[in-house]
């Protein structure tokens, strides 16, 4: 007998819906105790931060690719869309290696 999982993967006809579902799943899997290295984090990981959507997360990755590694967490404010308030809401989860 084969057990059917209630958490079976769903198929999506629209790739955007699949992507949004993936982001939501990653967001749900993250806890506030998990730290994010802003020099290596993916767009999906960055999008789990409070006040940071996919567009801003992509801007962080783009900035990192253009200008190199962040020297400190405070350098995030150099990215368009990241202000001091957003930084402070997330500071406890951010690290730089």
């Amino acid at each position: 007998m084969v057990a059917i999982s209630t958490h079976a993967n769903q198929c999506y006809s629209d790739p955007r819906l699949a992507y949004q579902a993936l982001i939501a799943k990653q967001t749900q899997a993250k806890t506030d105790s998990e730290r994010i290295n802003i020099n290596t984090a993916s767009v999906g990981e960055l999008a789990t931060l409070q006040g940071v959507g996919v567009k801003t997360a992509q801007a962080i990755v783009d900035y990192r690719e253009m200008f190199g590694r962040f020297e400190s967490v405070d350098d995030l404010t150099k990215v368009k869309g990241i202000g001091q308030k957003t930084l402070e809401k997330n500071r406890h989860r951010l690290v730089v290696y």
Side-chain angles (χ1 to χ4, degrees), residues 15-74:
R16 289 177 289 174
L17 293 175
Y19 181 72
Q20 289 172 350
L22 175 65
I23 294 298
K25 186 176 180 181
Q26 288 176 342
T27 301
Q28 186 178 30
K30 298 289 181 186
T31 63
D32 277 348
S33 64
E34 290 183 28
R35 296 227 174 217
I36 294 176
N37 179 355
I38 59 175
N39 283 321
T40 60
S42 68
V43 171
E45 290 170 319
L46 292 165
T48 67
L49 297 169
Q50 290 182 38
V52 177
V54 174
K55 186 176 178 180
T56 304
Q58 184 62 58
I60 294 168
V61 172
D62 292 344
Y63 184 94
R64 183 175 72 205
E65 289 174 357
M66 288 180 70
F67 299 103
R69 299 173 57 80
F70 293 99
E71 295 296 319
S72 72
V73 170
D74 292 307

